[in-house]
Amino acid sequence: MTQTRPDAPEGTEPADFERLADPFRRELMAHCYRMLGSVHDAEDLVQETYLRAWRAYDRFEGRSSLRTWLYRIATTACLTALESRDRRPMPTGLGAPSADPADDPVERSEVPWLEPVPDALVGADGADPAAIVTSRESIRLAFVAALQHLPPRQRAVLILRDVLRWRAAEVAEAVGLSTAAVNSTLQRARAQLDRAGLTESGVDTALTAEQEALLDRYVKAFEAKDVPAIVELFTDDAVWEMPPFPAWYQGRADIGRHLSDRCPAGPGDLRVLRVRANGQPALAQYLRDPADGVFHPFNLQVVTFGPERITHAATFLDTSLFAVFGLPDSLPVRSR
């Protein structure tokens, strides 16, 4: 027998609500992640969305689809949360590249940095063909980073209109604006993304066979700590950034100097597991402990490809992300 939650409205059947609403969980996770730029905050807001929806389910009159209704609740919850939260930047959004990559980078742990998100958590892994709303393009790292520079309501309008393809009148009801205000807000948001050279559509996220082979070479070069082989795989103007350090580097020479002088790993000290984040290939790197030879979480790197080489590496040093990605907390000593 199904039990009704004590805080659920009278007459609500939890099993019915859960059965009808649960298929939207991953795309709502993607929506909250785009709004907040944090996988941890997004998980909290999705839970809040479902709790609010459950409590109000007896008042859902079906004038819109259940999916649209859930998105309205999620958007309101996100906008409320953003009233007390700072935007989540990437280092490249804070200033020019560092002058000397050999300098000791200074950690800024007080900054709420943008976080990567696992494809599987937001329905961008292709496992569910019905989850077509969560396109890989709409969660790629550069796009989500650009969204963080928009004021919260602009961010919501642009996502609802350009990512979810809602009509202006639907967006107006969801964010509490007039239709005319939605249209002008959308124009301002689009203009800011255009200045950054970013849009949600038109980017091919599937790797070619040549790019797959290049990524394999990249992994092997890191595990061997072969810096010349690593930088050979970057474009001339490639970018390397590494939250929570605001310092970032541009160009093969500076990336190579940083890896040579600041990376603590030597040949054989890294092991790499391939994952997917933000609709992009990503590498979970484990660093060997010299005391016992066990490999422990070191960083999670999201890689962006151009037509022939790597254009961007975002290296996240927050090892709590390994649990989010379902990764092991250590890798065993390598057998000889």
Side-chain angles (χ1 to χ4, degrees):
M1 179 177 178
T2 302
Q3 293 184 340
T4 302
R5 274 184 59 164
D7 58 356
E10 184 179 353
T12 299
E13 293 292 339
D16 289 343
F17 173 77
E18 291 174 5
R19 175 178 57 82
L20 294 171
D22 197 60
F24 305 111
R25 186 175 293 273
R26 292 202 295 173
E27 62 178 271
L28 287 169
M29 178 69 187
H31 180 59
C32 293
Y33 171 71
R34 295 184 201 103
M35 287 289 296
L36 298 163
S38 163
V39 63
H40 296 96
D41 289 351
E43 287 180 318
D44 291 343
L45 267 294
V46 170
Q47 289 300 106
E48 183 175 338
T49 295
Y50 274 81
L51 181 58
R52 290 187 186 185
W54 194 348
R55 287 173 171 167
Y57 191 51
D58 64 336
R59 299 191 296 278
F60 174 58
E61 299 175 349
R63 289 182 294 176
S64 64
S65 68
L66 178 63
R67 175 176 176 268
T68 298
W69 184 64
L70 289 170
Y71 268 100
R72 286 176 185 159
I73 295 172
T75 301
T76 299
C78 289
L79 288 172
T80 300
L82 286 167
E83 290 175 359
S84 58
R85 287 171 169 82
D86 293 330
R87 67 182 179 92
R88 288 184 170 269
M90 289 292 286
T92 46
L94 297 180
S98 296
D100 190 345
D103 288 344
D104 285 329
V106 178
E107 182 175 347
R108 293 281 304 280
S109 57
E110 77 279 7
V111 175
W113 298 102
L114 184 69
E115 297 173 349
V117 67
D119 281 14
L121 201 58
V122 292
D125 56 353
D128 181 5
I132 57 173
V133 173
T134 309
S135 67
R136 289 175 176 175
E137 293 86 349
S138 73
I139 57 161
R140 76 186 192 274
L141 201 61
F143 181 66
V144 177
L147 289 176
Q148 305 312 301
H149 291 272
L150 300 176
R153 205 166 295 275
Q154 276 190 29
R155 199 180 307 173
V157 167
L158 185 133
I159 292 169
L160 293 172
R161 286 285 281 132
D162 285 0
V163 177
L164 299 177
R165 310 299 180 188
W166 282 22
R167 299 189 305 273
E170 292 176 308
V171 177
E173 186 174 353
V175 301
L177 296 173
S178 68
T179 301
V182 164
N183 290 332
S184 62
T185 299
L186 180 62
Q187 288 180 348
R188 292 194 298 274
R190 283 174 174 170
Q192 182 153 337
L193 289 196
D194 286 344
R195 286 193 292 272
L198 290 166
T199 60
E200 183 271 330
S201 61
V203 173
D204 185 6
T205 59
L207 295 186
T208 65
E210 292 78 9
Q211 289 170 332
E212 285 283 359
L214 188 151
L215 188 59
D216 286 340
R217 291 167 55 196
Y218 189 65
V219 168
K220 291 174 182 175
F222 262 103
E223 291 188 332
K225 187 61 183 296
D226 186 343
V227 173
I230 293 171
V231 299
E232 179 187 351
L233 303 175
F234 283 105
T235 59
D236 291 339
D237 59 350
V239 167
W240 177 282
E241 55 185 332
M242 46 185 184
F245 298 97
W248 60 279
Y249 312 108
Q250 185 165 30
R252 292 179 181 174
D254 281 358
I255 294 173
R257 286 184 64 200
H258 166 72
L259 292 174
S260 295
D261 295 346
R262 310 312 319 166
C263 179
D269 286 342
L270 285 178
R271 290 182 65 181
V272 179
L273 299 181
R274 286 183 55 174
V275 293
R276 294 281 309 184
N278 294 82
Q280 301 170 234
L283 310 176
Q285 298 194 353
Y286 290 75
L287 181 64
R288 187 177 68 87
D289 185 339
D292 58 11
V294 175
F295 291 80
H296 298 284
F298 179 39
N299 66 60
L300 195 145
Q301 184 181 132
V302 182
V303 181
T304 303
F305 278 89
E308 298 179 350
R309 286 185 172 86
I310 295 168
T311 62
H312 188 275
T315 302
F316 297 88
L317 295 166
D318 179 2
T319 55
S320 72
L321 293 167
F322 278 60
V324 174
F325 280 76
L327 290 161
D329 57 10
S330 66
L331 297 177
V333 178
R334 273 185 166 143
S335 59
R336 295 186 182 275

